[in-house]
Amino acid sequence: MMAKYLLLKHYRGGPTPVNDVPMEAWTEEEIAAHMRYMHEFAARLEGTGEFVDGQALSLEGTFVRYDGEGRPPVTDGPFAETKDLIAGWFVIDVDSYDRAVELAGELSAAPGAGGKPIHEWLEVRPFLTAPPIVTE
Amino acid sequence: VTSVEEHRLRALTPSVIGVLVRRGADFAAAEDAVQDALVEAVRLWATEPPRDPKGWLVTVAWRKFLDASRADASRRRREELAEEQPAPGPGASVDDTLQLYFLCAHPSLTPASAVALTLRAVGGLSTRQIAQAYLVPEATMAQRISRAKKTVSDVRFDQPGDVATVLRVLYLVFNEGYSGDLDLAAEAIRLTRQLAAVIDHEEVAGLLALMLLHHARRSARTRADGSLVPLAQQDRNLWDTRLIAEGVEVLQTVLARDRIGEFQAQAAIAALHADARTAEETDWVQIVGWYDELVRLTDSPVVRLNRAVAVGEADGPRAGLAAVAKLDPTLPRHAAVAAYLHERDGDVAIAARLYAEAARQASNIQERDHLTRQAARLNDGRRG
């Protein structure tokens, strides 16, 4: 039955992608082709009834933590050399784990430098669900 | 429109779609037209309830269908068909309803598509309600339903279907456990009752009994904070005795026919739990017997794992662990079952480790939290 998965795009932290050229070194046309591929991927998911959410995150963020009663939260960063940077995600609702992996594979084929697939590593994480009613 | 009236209104959905299809509308267009008519009914019936609700819906839905197909090139053909169609006979409504269950659970559909289509075309729910219940955007659910309609567009409406596929869909709706404004468990029970009214089949009765007996425990199943209460710890005074009585009666009637299927066997297990006034009074020996039956019927590893729990209760934790040892350790909830049996066997250290492992593997939040608490309880006890 349907299950939701997060397809998480890390910019750093995972294994090094095959086509590992930073985006600022691409041509404008290559960047446009990459963006077009992402939009088409989202549109295709909407068409198949598997799309739940897709978001891109600002590359710079702030770390925040509680600092005790009556004190404002402590903030830190942004850090230039964050080890693992989350760039964005898709949330999909699919019939099987295999389908989630298949879609992640498609997303990872987005074109990069030289118009060739970037072979980017994506992390596939299942959502926790509500408990089933019949368990015995 | 109150919820009782809304249920009565939605119950008319499949037979009204059936009338339109018999008049020559294709299923997809008929279904859309009836949805539009339902929206209008909700708006108008509050002040002006019609004397003949079904007749009203047929008239309005047919008008909507003609409006929608007016722009269509095949309009003339459809209108001619409408002229030719004889009025539906007395049995038509029952047959139409059953045919719609078959069509919406057609084997060419994925389970998720069959669920969505069933809730809309048989249940009369709107795409928005279904999308909210399954936590996806409305546009996504609309696409899923529209693709499902395309998938079954070549299926002949009067083609006989398989009850087993329908029951699997209804079981999924019941068991998914998602909740929002829409009570999917109650909706599944309504649809299964409606199915039981149009077809005499042992497993339909079995599934209905199963749903009623589990639904009866609903208030006891979770605490106010949403956490799970295991069956053995549930306050049995909170169980709904009216639902239990109905479930047991449906089950006993059908068991007497001696045509056992998996839903009847599962319902029998639920009935034995319902029969025990305290967890200690549970007749585990009989429950193991029903699990043996279920293993024979399904040969499912998940059933074997649940059987091991029952064996642990009937013959002691060592016997349960011996049964677990024969099963694939990658089975979902394998570690959770082993943890429970080891704890009962007095092996607290192993149990705590297995509970923590089971929590990491859990596929739902409540179970993960429950298992984490079990591990914490045992670790705490060992420190103290």
mmCIF file of all heavy atoms in Angstrom, chain A residues 7-11 23 26 30-46 51 53-56 87-90 103-112 118-122:
data_model
loop_
_atom_site.group_PDB
_atom_site.id
_atom_site.type_symbol
_atom_site.label_atom_id
_atom_site.label_comp_id
_atom_site.label_asym_id
_atom_site.label_seq_id
_atom_site.Cartn_x
_atom_site.Cartn_y
_atom_site.Cartn_z
ATOM 1 N N LEU A 7 12.817 12.149 -0.528
ATOM 2 C CA LEU A 7 14.023 12.075 -1.363
ATOM 3 C C LEU A 7 14.841 13.305 -1.012
ATOM 4 O O LEU A 7 14.470 14.428 -1.359
ATOM 5 C CB LEU A 7 13.675 12.088 -2.861
ATOM 6 C CG LEU A 7 12.638 11.075 -3.362
ATOM 7 C CD1 LEU A 7 12.534 11.165 -4.883
ATOM 8 C CD2 LEU A 7 12.998 9.660 -2.938
ATOM 9 N N LEU A 8 15.908 13.094 -0.272
ATOM 10 C CA LEU A 8 16.644 14.213 0.303
ATOM 11 C C LEU A 8 17.902 14.505 -0.504
ATOM 12 O O LEU A 8 18.702 13.606 -0.759
ATOM 13 C CB LEU A 8 17.002 13.862 1.751
ATOM 14 C CG LEU A 8 17.419 14.994 2.674
ATOM 15 C CD1 LEU A 8 16.337 16.059 2.774
ATOM 16 C CD2 LEU A 8 17.725 14.423 4.061
ATOM 17 N N LYS A 9 18.028 15.777 -0.900
ATOM 18 C CA LYS A 9 19.219 16.221 -1.654
ATOM 19 C C LYS A 9 20.224 16.821 -0.685
ATOM 20 O O LYS A 9 19.978 17.868 -0.107
ATOM 21 C CB LYS A 9 18.819 17.310 -2.652
ATOM 22 C CG LYS A 9 18.207 16.809 -3.930
ATOM 23 C CD LYS A 9 17.588 17.970 -4.710
ATOM 24 C CE LYS A 9 18.627 18.884 -5.325
ATOM 25 N NZ LYS A 9 19.158 18.364 -6.600
ATOM 26 N N HIS A 10 21.338 16.128 -0.489
ATOM 27 C CA HIS A 10 22.428 16.708 0.307
ATOM 28 C C HIS A 10 23.411 17.324 -0.677
ATOM 29 O O HIS A 10 23.722 16.716 -1.687
ATOM 30 C CB HIS A 10 23.185 15.610 1.073
ATOM 31 C CG HIS A 10 22.352 14.809 2.012
ATOM 32 N ND1 HIS A 10 22.346 15.032 3.360
ATOM 33 C CD2 HIS A 10 21.517 13.780 1.814
ATOM 34 C CE1 HIS A 10 21.542 14.171 3.946
ATOM 35 N NE2 HIS A 10 21.013 13.404 3.032
ATOM 36 N N TYR A 11 23.946 18.492 -0.374
ATOM 37 C CA TYR A 11 24.995 19.038 -1.245
ATOM 38 C C TYR A 11 26.359 18.535 -0.831
ATOM 39 O O TYR A 11 27.246 18.369 -1.625
ATOM 40 C CB TYR A 11 24.962 20.562 -1.262
ATOM 41 C CG TYR A 11 24.140 21.082 -2.396
ATOM 42 C CD1 TYR A 11 23.398 20.217 -3.197
ATOM 43 C CD2 TYR A 11 24.095 22.429 -2.693
ATOM 44 C CE1 TYR A 11 22.636 20.683 -4.231
ATOM 45 C CE2 TYR A 11 23.330 22.909 -3.732
ATOM 46 C CZ TYR A 11 22.598 22.036 -4.507
ATOM 47 O OH TYR A 11 21.839 22.515 -5.528
ATOM 48 N N MET A 23 27.888 24.112 -9.294
ATOM 49 C CA MET A 23 26.954 24.714 -10.245
ATOM 50 C C MET A 23 27.469 26.028 -10.824
ATOM 51 O O MET A 23 27.192 26.349 -11.981
ATOM 52 C CB MET A 23 25.601 24.914 -9.580
ATOM 53 C CG MET A 23 24.444 24.896 -10.555
ATOM 54 S SD MET A 23 22.861 25.043 -9.701
ATOM 55 C CE MET A 23 22.097 23.496 -10.093
ATOM 56 N N TRP A 26 29.041 25.769 -14.118
ATOM 57 C CA TRP A 26 28.287 25.323 -15.290
ATOM 58 C C TRP A 26 28.020 26.513 -16.216
ATOM 59 O O TRP A 26 28.118 27.665 -15.788
ATOM 60 C CB TRP A 26 26.914 24.741 -14.891
ATOM 61 C CG TRP A 26 26.933 23.566 -13.968
ATOM 62 C CD1 TRP A 26 28.022 22.986 -13.376
ATOM 63 C CD2 TRP A 26 25.788 22.861 -13.504
ATOM 64 N NE1 TRP A 26 27.632 21.950 -12.570
ATOM 65 C CE2 TRP A 26 26.262 21.847 -12.631
ATOM 66 C CE3 TRP A 26 24.417 22.958 -13.733
ATOM 67 C CZ2 TRP A 26 25.407 20.950 -11.991
ATOM 68 C CZ3 TRP A 26 23.562 22.069 -13.095
ATOM 69 C CH2 TRP A 26 24.055 21.077 -12.238
ATOM 70 N N GLU A 30 23.374 25.111 -19.177
ATOM 71 C CA GLU A 30 23.388 23.874 -18.385
ATOM 72 C C GLU A 30 22.555 24.024 -17.112
ATOM 73 O O GLU A 30 21.833 23.111 -16.705
ATOM 74 C CB GLU A 30 24.844 23.493 -18.031
ATOM 75 C CG GLU A 30 25.578 22.851 -19.211
ATOM 76 C CD GLU A 30 27.097 22.858 -19.033
ATOM 77 O OE1 GLU A 30 27.588 23.313 -17.980
ATOM 78 O OE2 GLU A 30 27.781 22.407 -19.967
ATOM 79 N N ILE A 31 22.646 25.195 -16.489
ATOM 80 C CA ILE A 31 21.839 25.449 -15.282
ATOM 81 C C ILE A 31 20.364 25.448 -15.644
ATOM 82 O O ILE A 31 19.539 24.839 -14.958
ATOM 83 C CB ILE A 31 22.251 26.796 -14.633
ATOM 84 C CG1 ILE A 31 23.674 26.677 -14.090
ATOM 85 C CG2 ILE A 31 21.281 27.183 -13.524
ATOM 86 C CD1 ILE A 31 24.246 27.988 -13.569
ATOM 87 N N ALA A 32 20.015 26.112 -16.757
ATOM 88 C CA ALA A 32 18.613 26.162 -17.184
ATOM 89 C C ALA A 32 18.087 24.750 -17.458
ATOM 90 O O ALA A 32 16.965 24.406 -17.078
ATOM 91 C CB ALA A 32 18.482 27.041 -18.433
ATOM 92 N N ALA A 33 18.945 23.930 -18.095
ATOM 93 C CA ALA A 33 18.519 22.561 -18.411
ATOM 94 C C ALA A 33 18.283 21.764 -17.128
ATOM 95 O O ALA A 33 17.337 20.972 -17.023
ATOM 96 C CB ALA A 33 19.587 21.876 -19.279
ATOM 97 N N HIS A 34 19.127 22.012 -16.119
ATOM 98 C CA HIS A 34 18.972 21.332 -14.835
ATOM 99 C C HIS A 34 17.647 21.722 -14.174
ATOM 100 O O HIS A 34 16.882 20.871 -13.712
ATOM 101 C CB HIS A 34 20.152 21.698 -13.925
ATOM 102 C CG HIS A 34 20.117 21.026 -12.594
ATOM 103 N ND1 HIS A 34 20.599 19.749 -12.405
ATOM 104 C CD2 HIS A 34 19.632 21.433 -11.390
ATOM 105 C CE1 HIS A 34 20.413 19.404 -11.138
ATOM 106 N NE2 HIS A 34 19.834 20.407 -10.504
ATOM 107 N N MET A 35 17.354 23.011 -14.146
ATOM 108 C CA MET A 35 16.115 23.507 -13.537
ATOM 109 C C MET A 35 14.888 22.955 -14.263
ATOM 110 O O MET A 35 13.900 22.569 -13.646
ATOM 111 C CB MET A 35 16.076 25.045 -13.562
ATOM 112 C CG MET A 35 17.191 25.699 -12.767
ATOM 113 S SD MET A 35 17.274 25.022 -11.069
ATOM 114 C CE MET A 35 18.752 25.794 -10.456
ATOM 115 N N ARG A 36 15.008 22.921 -15.600
ATOM 116 C CA ARG A 36 13.899 22.418 -16.402
ATOM 117 C C ARG A 36 13.629 20.947 -16.041
ATOM 118 O O ARG A 36 12.500 20.528 -15.863
ATOM 119 C CB ARG A 36 14.259 22.549 -17.891
ATOM 120 C CG ARG A 36 13.058 22.640 -18.811
ATOM 121 C CD ARG A 36 13.416 23.259 -20.164
ATOM 122 N NE ARG A 36 14.628 22.708 -20.747
ATOM 123 C CZ ARG A 36 15.687 23.439 -21.097
ATOM 124 N NH1 ARG A 36 15.695 24.743 -20.904
ATOM 125 N NH2 ARG A 36 16.744 22.867 -21.644
ATOM 126 N N TYR A 37 14.696 20.205 -15.888
ATOM 127 C CA TYR A 37 14.572 18.777 -15.548
ATOM 128 C C TYR A 37 13.841 18.617 -14.205
ATOM 129 O O TYR A 37 12.955 17.777 -14.062
ATOM 130 C CB TYR A 37 15.962 18.145 -15.470
ATOM 131 C CG TYR A 37 15.930 16.637 -15.287
ATOM 132 C CD1 TYR A 37 16.015 15.787 -16.381
ATOM 133 C CD2 TYR A 37 15.803 16.077 -14.020
ATOM 134 C CE1 TYR A 37 15.993 14.415 -16.219
ATOM 135 C CE2 TYR A 37 15.769 14.698 -13.846
ATOM 136 C CZ TYR A 37 15.872 13.872 -14.954
ATOM 137 O OH TYR A 37 15.827 12.513 -14.796
ATOM 138 N N MET A 38 14.205 19.469 -13.219
ATOM 139 C CA MET A 38 13.563 19.396 -11.905
ATOM 140 C C MET A 38 12.069 19.707 -11.991
ATOM 141 O O MET A 38 11.251 19.037 -11.376
ATOM 142 C CB MET A 38 14.228 20.387 -10.930
ATOM 143 C CG MET A 38 15.657 20.073 -10.635
ATOM 144 S SD MET A 38 15.868 18.344 -10.222
ATOM 145 C CE MET A 38 16.840 18.447 -8.798
ATOM 146 N N HIS A 39 11.736 20.735 -12.765
ATOM 147 C CA HIS A 39 10.317 21.093 -12.903
ATOM 148 C C HIS A 39 9.542 19.978 -13.582
ATOM 149 O O HIS A 39 8.421 19.646 -13.198
ATOM 150 C CB HIS A 39 10.174 22.399 -13.692
ATOM 151 C CG HIS A 39 10.530 23.606 -12.885
ATOM 152 N ND1 HIS A 39 11.338 24.604 -13.347
ATOM 153 C CD2 HIS A 39 10.207 23.956 -11.616
ATOM 154 C CE1 HIS A 39 11.510 25.520 -12.401
ATOM 155 N NE2 HIS A 39 10.833 25.140 -11.340
ATOM 156 N N GLU A 40 10.175 19.408 -14.605
ATOM 157 C CA GLU A 40 9.485 18.336 -15.332
ATOM 158 C C GLU A 40 9.309 17.100 -14.450
ATOM 159 O O GLU A 40 8.304 16.404 -14.528
ATOM 160 C CB GLU A 40 10.257 17.990 -16.613
ATOM 161 C CG GLU A 40 10.011 19.027 -17.716
ATOM 162 C CD GLU A 40 11.004 18.913 -18.865
ATOM 163 O OE1 GLU A 40 11.757 17.909 -18.918
ATOM 164 O OE2 GLU A 40 11.023 19.835 -19.701
ATOM 165 N N PHE A 41 10.316 16.862 -13.616
ATOM 166 C CA PHE A 41 10.210 15.724 -12.686
ATOM 167 C C PHE A 41 9.010 15.926 -11.756
ATOM 168 O O PHE A 41 8.194 15.016 -11.569
ATOM 169 C CB PHE A 41 11.508 15.603 -11.880
ATOM 170 C CG PHE A 41 11.520 14.469 -10.903
ATOM 171 C CD1 PHE A 41 11.754 13.166 -11.332
ATOM 172 C CD2 PHE A 41 11.297 14.698 -9.546
ATOM 173 C CE1 PHE A 41 11.764 12.112 -10.424
ATOM 174 C CE2 PHE A 41 11.306 13.644 -8.635
ATOM 175 C CZ PHE A 41 11.540 12.356 -9.072
ATOM 176 N N ALA A 42 8.887 17.131 -11.199
ATOM 177 C CA ALA A 42 7.769 17.423 -10.295
ATOM 178 C C ALA A 42 6.432 17.297 -11.033
ATOM 179 O O ALA A 42 5.466 16.721 -10.518
ATOM 180 C CB ALA A 42 7.918 18.815 -9.697
ATOM 181 N N ALA A 43 6.401 17.811 -12.256
ATOM 182 C CA ALA A 43 5.160 17.767 -13.033
ATOM 183 C C ALA A 43 4.766 16.322 -13.338
ATOM 184 O O ALA A 43 3.593 15.959 -13.306
ATOM 185 C CB ALA A 43 5.321 18.553 -14.327
ATOM 186 N N ARG A 44 5.795 15.500 -13.610
ATOM 187 C CA ARG A 44 5.512 14.099 -13.916
ATOM 188 C C ARG A 44 4.930 13.395 -12.688
ATOM 189 O O ARG A 44 3.992 12.611 -12.781
ATOM 190 C CB ARG A 44 6.802 13.416 -14.377
ATOM 191 C CG ARG A 44 6.571 12.166 -15.184
ATOM 192 C CD ARG A 44 7.763 11.797 -16.044
ATOM 193 N NE ARG A 44 8.966 11.515 -15.275
ATOM 194 C CZ ARG A 44 10.109 12.184 -15.364
ATOM 195 N NH1 ARG A 44 10.204 13.192 -16.199
ATOM 196 N NH2 ARG A 44 11.145 11.841 -14.639
ATOM 197 N N LEU A 45 5.478 13.699 -11.505
ATOM 198 C CA LEU A 45 4.957 13.109 -10.272
ATOM 199 C C LEU A 45 3.514 13.537 -10.022
ATOM 200 O O LEU A 45 2.690 12.752 -9.556
ATOM 201 C CB LEU A 45 5.797 13.544 -9.072
ATOM 202 C CG LEU A 45 7.162 12.914 -8.879
ATOM 203 C CD1 LEU A 45 7.804 13.483 -7.625
ATOM 204 C CD2 LEU A 45 7.039 11.409 -8.752
ATOM 205 N N GLU A 46 3.219 14.801 -10.318
ATOM 206 C CA GLU A 46 1.835 15.262 -10.149
ATOM 207 C C GLU A 46 0.926 14.471 -11.070
ATOM 208 O O GLU A 46 -0.161 14.061 -10.687
ATOM 209 C CB GLU A 46 1.735 16.764 -10.428
ATOM 210 C CG GLU A 46 2.222 17.592 -9.255
ATOM 211 C CD GLU A 46 2.399 19.069 -9.587
ATOM 212 O OE1 GLU A 46 1.946 19.526 -10.658
ATOM 213 O OE2 GLU A 46 3.023 19.769 -8.760
ATOM 214 N N PHE A 51 2.904 12.889 -6.229
ATOM 215 C CA PHE A 51 3.553 14.076 -5.671
ATOM 216 C C PHE A 51 2.927 14.476 -4.338
ATOM 217 O O PHE A 51 1.704 14.514 -4.215
ATOM 218 C CB PHE A 51 3.418 15.237 -6.659
ATOM 219 C CG PHE A 51 4.020 16.532 -6.176
ATOM 220 C CD1 PHE A 51 5.368 16.783 -6.342
ATOM 221 C CD2 PHE A 51 3.237 17.484 -5.544
ATOM 222 C CE1 PHE A 51 5.930 17.980 -5.894
ATOM 223 C CE2 PHE A 51 3.786 18.674 -5.092
ATOM 224 C CZ PHE A 51 5.139 18.923 -5.268
ATOM 225 N N ASP A 53 5.152 16.798 -2.008
ATOM 226 C CA ASP A 53 5.779 18.078 -1.721
ATOM 227 C C ASP A 53 7.150 18.141 -2.385
ATOM 228 O O ASP A 53 7.795 17.109 -2.583
ATOM 229 C CB ASP A 53 5.938 18.241 -0.195
ATOM 230 C CG ASP A 53 6.432 19.623 0.206
ATOM 231 O OD1 ASP A 53 6.105 20.598 -0.507
ATOM 232 O OD2 ASP A 53 7.138 19.735 1.217
ATOM 233 N N GLY A 54 7.589 19.329 -2.733
ATOM 234 C CA GLY A 54 8.940 19.529 -3.250
ATOM 235 C C GLY A 54 9.388 20.918 -2.827
ATOM 236 O O GLY A 54 8.661 21.881 -3.041
ATOM 237 N N GLN A 55 10.541 21.012 -2.181
ATOM 238 C CA GLN A 55 11.006 22.302 -1.683
ATOM 239 C C GLN A 55 12.498 22.423 -1.875
ATOM 240 O O GLN A 55 13.233 21.433 -1.811
ATOM 241 C CB GLN A 55 10.702 22.449 -0.183
ATOM 242 C CG GLN A 55 9.235 22.366 0.192
ATOM 243 C CD GLN A 55 8.409 23.557 -0.272
ATOM 244 O OE1 GLN A 55 8.943 24.633 -0.542
ATOM 245 N NE2 GLN A 55 7.111 23.348 -0.398
ATOM 246 N N ALA A 56 12.945 23.630 -2.091
ATOM 247 C CA ALA A 56 14.380 23.926 -2.103
ATOM 248 C C ALA A 56 14.657 24.819 -0.896
ATOM 249 O O ALA A 56 13.808 25.620 -0.504
ATOM 250 C CB ALA A 56 14.752 24.643 -3.386
ATOM 251 N N ALA A 87 19.943 20.600 0.610
ATOM 252 C CA ALA A 87 19.599 21.586 -0.413
ATOM 253 C C ALA A 87 18.101 21.610 -0.701
ATOM 254 O O ALA A 87 17.560 22.613 -1.124
ATOM 255 C CB ALA A 87 20.354 21.265 -1.694
ATOM 256 N N GLY A 88 17.438 20.487 -0.462
ATOM 257 C CA GLY A 88 16.016 20.447 -0.750
ATOM 258 C C GLY A 88 15.518 19.020 -0.739
ATOM 259 O O GLY A 88 16.278 18.093 -0.415
ATOM 260 N N TRP A 89 14.244 18.855 -1.049
ATOM 261 C CA TRP A 89 13.687 17.504 -1.017
ATOM 262 C C TRP A 89 12.454 17.382 -1.893
ATOM 263 O O TRP A 89 11.854 18.388 -2.285
ATOM 264 C CB TRP A 89 13.305 17.124 0.410
ATOM 265 C CG TRP A 89 12.209 17.971 0.997
ATOM 266 C CD1 TRP A 89 10.876 17.925 0.719
ATOM 267 C CD2 TRP A 89 12.361 19.028 1.948
ATOM 268 N NE1 TRP A 89 10.196 18.863 1.449
ATOM 269 C CE2 TRP A 89 11.079 19.553 2.206
ATOM 270 C CE3 TRP A 89 13.455 19.561 2.627
ATOM 271 C CZ2 TRP A 89 10.871 20.603 3.111
ATOM 272 C CZ3 TRP A 89 13.240 20.605 3.527
ATOM 273 C CH2 TRP A 89 11.964 21.107 3.753
ATOM 274 N N PHE A 90 12.125 16.158 -2.197
ATOM 275 C CA PHE A 90 10.806 15.813 -2.696
ATOM 276 C C PHE A 90 10.175 14.866 -1.690
ATOM 277 O O PHE A 90 10.890 14.055 -1.077
ATOM 278 C CB PHE A 90 10.890 15.097 -4.050
ATOM 279 C CG PHE A 90 11.019 16.043 -5.210
ATOM 280 C CD1 PHE A 90 12.247 16.297 -5.795
ATOM 281 C CD2 PHE A 90 9.897 16.682 -5.723
ATOM 282 C CE1 PHE A 90 12.369 17.179 -6.858
ATOM 283 C CE2 PHE A 90 10.005 17.564 -6.788
ATOM 284 C CZ PHE A 90 11.249 17.813 -7.351
ATOM 285 N N LEU A 103 12.291 6.308 -8.638
ATOM 286 C CA LEU A 103 12.124 7.753 -8.819
ATOM 287 C C LEU A 103 13.367 8.520 -8.374
ATOM 288 O O LEU A 103 13.768 9.496 -9.016
ATOM 289 C CB LEU A 103 10.886 8.235 -8.061
ATOM 290 C CG LEU A 103 9.554 7.863 -8.714
ATOM 291 C CD1 LEU A 103 8.391 8.180 -7.777
ATOM 292 C CD2 LEU A 103 9.365 8.592 -10.049
ATOM 293 N N ALA A 104 13.987 8.081 -7.283
ATOM 294 C CA ALA A 104 15.219 8.733 -6.828
ATOM 295 C C ALA A 104 16.286 8.604 -7.914
ATOM 296 O O ALA A 104 17.039 9.553 -8.173
ATOM 297 C CB ALA A 104 15.687 8.117 -5.516
ATOM 298 N N GLY A 105 16.331 7.446 -8.558
ATOM 299 C CA GLY A 105 17.283 7.242 -9.646
ATOM 300 C C GLY A 105 17.041 8.214 -10.785
ATOM 301 O O GLY A 105 17.978 8.794 -11.348
ATOM 302 N N GLU A 106 15.771 8.448 -11.110
ATOM 303 C CA GLU A 106 15.426 9.406 -12.173
ATOM 304 C C GLU A 106 15.853 10.815 -11.793
ATOM 305 O O GLU A 106 16.393 11.562 -12.616
ATOM 306 C CB GLU A 106 13.912 9.405 -12.414
ATOM 307 C CG GLU A 106 13.443 8.287 -13.325
ATOM 308 C CD GLU A 106 11.930 8.355 -13.535
ATOM 309 O OE1 GLU A 106 11.372 9.475 -13.572
ATOM 310 O OE2 GLU A 106 11.314 7.284 -13.635
ATOM 311 N N LEU A 107 15.592 11.168 -10.543
ATOM 312 C CA LEU A 107 15.920 12.514 -10.093
ATOM 313 C C LEU A 107 17.429 12.734 -10.128
ATOM 314 O O LEU A 107 17.917 13.815 -10.465
ATOM 315 C CB LEU A 107 15.382 12.715 -8.666
ATOM 316 C CG LEU A 107 15.508 14.104 -8.054
ATOM 317 C CD1 LEU A 107 14.858 15.166 -8.934
ATOM 318 C CD2 LEU A 107 14.901 14.130 -6.663
ATOM 319 N N SER A 108 18.167 11.689 -9.808
ATOM 320 C CA SER A 108 19.627 11.778 -9.770
ATOM 321 C C SER A 108 20.228 11.898 -11.174
ATOM 322 O O SER A 108 21.396 12.236 -11.335
ATOM 323 C CB SER A 108 20.177 10.550 -9.055
ATOM 324 O OG SER A 108 21.541 10.405 -9.271
ATOM 325 N N ALA A 109 19.404 11.627 -12.179
ATOM 326 C CA ALA A 109 19.891 11.723 -13.561
ATOM 327 C C ALA A 109 19.784 13.144 -14.105
ATOM 328 O O ALA A 109 20.049 13.385 -15.287
ATOM 329 C CB ALA A 109 19.103 10.760 -14.453
ATOM 330 N N ALA A 110 19.395 14.110 -13.263
ATOM 331 C CA ALA A 110 19.283 15.506 -13.716
ATOM 332 C C ALA A 110 20.606 15.936 -14.358
ATOM 333 O O ALA A 110 21.677 15.597 -13.855
ATOM 334 C CB ALA A 110 18.957 16.408 -12.525
ATOM 335 N N PRO A 111 20.543 16.689 -15.463
ATOM 336 C CA PRO A 111 21.777 17.053 -16.164
ATOM 337 C C PRO A 111 22.590 18.099 -15.406
ATOM 338 O O PRO A 111 22.026 18.954 -14.736
ATOM 339 C CB PRO A 111 21.265 17.623 -17.497
ATOM 340 C CG PRO A 111 19.891 18.114 -17.204
ATOM 341 C CD PRO A 111 19.339 17.214 -16.136
ATOM 342 N N GLY A 112 23.894 17.988 -15.481
ATOM 343 C CA GLY A 112 24.803 18.945 -14.851
ATOM 344 C C GLY A 112 25.781 19.482 -15.870
ATOM 345 O O GLY A 112 25.404 19.736 -17.022
ATOM 346 N N ILE A 118 24.224 14.260 -13.391
ATOM 347 C CA ILE A 118 25.164 14.519 -12.301
ATOM 348 C C ILE A 118 25.370 13.289 -11.423
ATOM 349 O O ILE A 118 26.293 13.244 -10.643
ATOM 350 C CB ILE A 118 24.736 15.715 -11.413
ATOM 351 C CG1 ILE A 118 23.247 15.646 -11.066
ATOM 352 C CG2 ILE A 118 25.075 17.024 -12.072
ATOM 353 C CD1 ILE A 118 22.807 16.790 -10.187
ATOM 354 N N HIS A 119 24.505 12.269 -11.556
ATOM 355 C CA HIS A 119 24.638 11.062 -10.728
ATOM 356 C C HIS A 119 24.697 11.422 -9.241
ATOM 357 O O HIS A 119 25.431 10.816 -8.474
ATOM 358 C CB HIS A 119 25.895 10.266 -11.090
ATOM 359 C CG HIS A 119 25.920 9.753 -12.496
ATOM 360 N ND1 HIS A 119 25.452 8.506 -12.835
ATOM 361 C CD2 HIS A 119 26.347 10.325 -13.650
ATOM 362 C CE1 HIS A 119 25.610 8.324 -14.142
ATOM 363 N NE2 HIS A 119 26.133 9.407 -14.654
ATOM 364 N N GLU A 120 23.930 12.416 -8.872
ATOM 365 C CA GLU A 120 23.937 12.908 -7.499
ATOM 366 C C GLU A 120 23.366 11.849 -6.545
ATOM 367 O O GLU A 120 22.403 11.170 -6.882
ATOM 368 C CB GLU A 120 23.058 14.156 -7.487
ATOM 369 C CG GLU A 120 22.639 14.686 -6.170
ATOM 370 C CD GLU A 120 21.723 15.899 -6.362
ATOM 371 O OE1 GLU A 120 20.800 15.840 -7.212
ATOM 372 O OE2 GLU A 120 21.959 16.893 -5.689
ATOM 373 N N TRP A 121 23.963 11.718 -5.352
ATOM 374 C CA TRP A 121 23.425 10.782 -4.365
ATOM 375 C C TRP A 121 22.223 11.417 -3.677
ATOM 376 O O TRP A 121 22.299 12.542 -3.202
ATOM 377 C CB TRP A 121 24.480 10.454 -3.302
ATOM 378 C CG TRP A 121 25.586 9.593 -3.812
ATOM 379 C CD1 TRP A 121 26.791 10.011 -4.302
ATOM 380 C CD2 TRP A 121 25.600 8.161 -3.889
ATOM 381 N NE1 TRP A 121 27.549 8.938 -4.683
ATOM 382 C CE2 TRP A 121 26.849 7.793 -4.439
ATOM 383 C CE3 TRP A 121 24.685 7.158 -3.549
ATOM 384 C CZ2 TRP A 121 27.213 6.462 -4.653
ATOM 385 C CZ3 TRP A 121 25.040 5.840 -3.761
ATOM 386 C CH2 TRP A 121 26.280 5.495 -4.315
ATOM 387 N N LEU A 122 21.132 10.677 -3.606
ATOM 388 C CA LEU A 122 19.950 11.158 -2.888
ATOM 389 C C LEU A 122 19.671 10.171 -1.767
ATOM 390 O O LEU A 122 19.890 8.969 -1.919
ATOM 391 C CB LEU A 122 18.740 11.213 -3.822
ATOM 392 C CG LEU A 122 18.868 12.211 -4.972
ATOM 393 C CD1 LEU A 122 17.852 11.900 -6.049
ATOM 394 C CD2 LEU A 122 18.674 13.622 -4.456
#
